[in-house]
Amino acid sequence: MARLKAHELREKGKDQLEGQLKDLKQELGALRVAKVTGGAPNKLSKIKVVRKSIARVLTVISHQQRSALRDVYSKKKYVPLDLRTKKTRAIRRRLTKHQSGLKTEKQAKKDAAFPQRRFAVKA
């Protein structure tokens, strides 16, 4: 089997990808049997290509699943941890913009009692 291209795999559906994965795994099994029985060198070199192709198919499948889950959870309040943006631990712990803009009750009373003075400076 020729080397698979990821952009070609992305165009395929889930059932096609799973079928291709099954075929690749069968081919890999046959190549491993040939390796044990002392097969031709070209078959032995093909093992790496098939393994990488299996990895590509699995990667495309997981990308499609994650994008589908992102669409499902896009309007929800809570999103699973693995779909949230990673950023850094400090950024995740930081107060939100809303929280940092809030005033304490005492500060709100103080601002109401003593508003900012306006001066008419004549120059």
Side-chain angles (χ1 to χ4, degrees), residues 7-116:
H7 67 89
E8 293 170 357
L9 291 173
R10 286 189 199 105
E11 296 166 2
K12 295 184 177 184
K14 184 182 175 187
D15 52 340
Q16 288 178 318
L17 287 171
E18 287 175 350
Q20 192 153 22
L21 182 65
K22 186 179 174 187
D23 295 339
L24 286 168
K25 285 188 175 182
Q26 284 178 345
E27 186 178 352
L28 182 62
L31 289 172
R32 284 185 174 154
V33 168
K35 179 182 175 183
V36 171
T37 58
N42 64 341
K43 281 195 173 184
L44 299 180
S45 63
K46 203 173 179 190
I47 290 176
K48 181 180 177 184
V49 175
V50 173
R51 283 179 58 234
K52 301 294 180 184
S53 297
I54 289 172
R56 273 190 202 92
V57 171
L58 288 171
T59 302
V60 169
I61 288 172
S62 67
H63 275 255
Q64 287 179 349
Q65 284 177 342
R66 286 177 67 82
S67 65
L69 283 172
R70 280 188 207 284
D71 293 340
V72 168
Y73 283 104
S74 63
K75 303 294 184 208
K76 302 273 198 266
K77 184 175 180 182
Y78 297 111
V79 179
L81 292 175
D82 60 334
L83 294 181
R84 293 180 193 171
T85 52
K86 182 90 166 81
K87 298 185 179 173
T88 62
R89 189 168 189 265
I91 291 174
R92 291 194 305 266
R93 303 283 184 283
R94 195 165 57 191
L95 292 176
T96 63
K97 295 249 191 281
H98 175 71
Q99 290 170 335
S100 60
L102 292 177
K103 292 183 180 179
T104 61
E105 195 175 327
K106 185 175 184 177
Q107 187 63 45
K109 285 180 184 175
K110 207 182 272 188
D111 289 346
F114 303 102
Q116 180 76 42

